[in-house]
Amino acid sequence: MEILSVDDPHARVQALRLGMAEGACVQCVTRVPAGPLVIRSGRQEIAIGRKLAERISVRMLDA
């Protein structure tokens, strides 16, 4: 999936620190029930909280 936008300035800074800029291609690896999401960005996997994830708009890419 491609990151389209992050709707909150604070959340945008957090996402940038984790390497998830607008236009970046990432993959959701795991969704922990009632917990974080594990996202693969490049060669790294990052656990992000649900509140940050809810602020990120994505577009699904063809496999």
Side-chain angles (χ1 to χ4, degrees), residues 33-46:
L37 283 75
V38 178
I39 303 295
R40 181 173 295 135
S41 177
R43 291 184 172 183
Q44 63 180 352
E45 291 185 355
I46 307 159

Side-chain angles (χ1 to χ4, degrees), residues 1-59:
M1 63 188 134
E2 176 185 7
I3 296 176
L4 296 178
S5 65
V6 182
D7 69 357
D8 176 76
H10 181 69
R12 184 176 304 117
V13 170
Q14 284 183 297
L16 284 172
R17 287 181 181 156
L18 298 172
M20 297 186 296
E22 294 172 357
C25 293
V26 297
Q27 178 182 9
C28 182
V29 177
T30 304
R31 295 178 185 190
V32 178
L37 283 75
V38 178
I39 303 295
R40 181 173 295 135
S41 177
R43 291 184 172 183
Q44 63 180 352
E45 291 185 355
I46 307 159
I48 63 171
R50 296 262 175 181
K51 292 198 182 259
L52 176 58
E54 290 171 359
R55 298 278 190 191
I56 300 173
S57 297
V58 298
R59 175 175 68 102

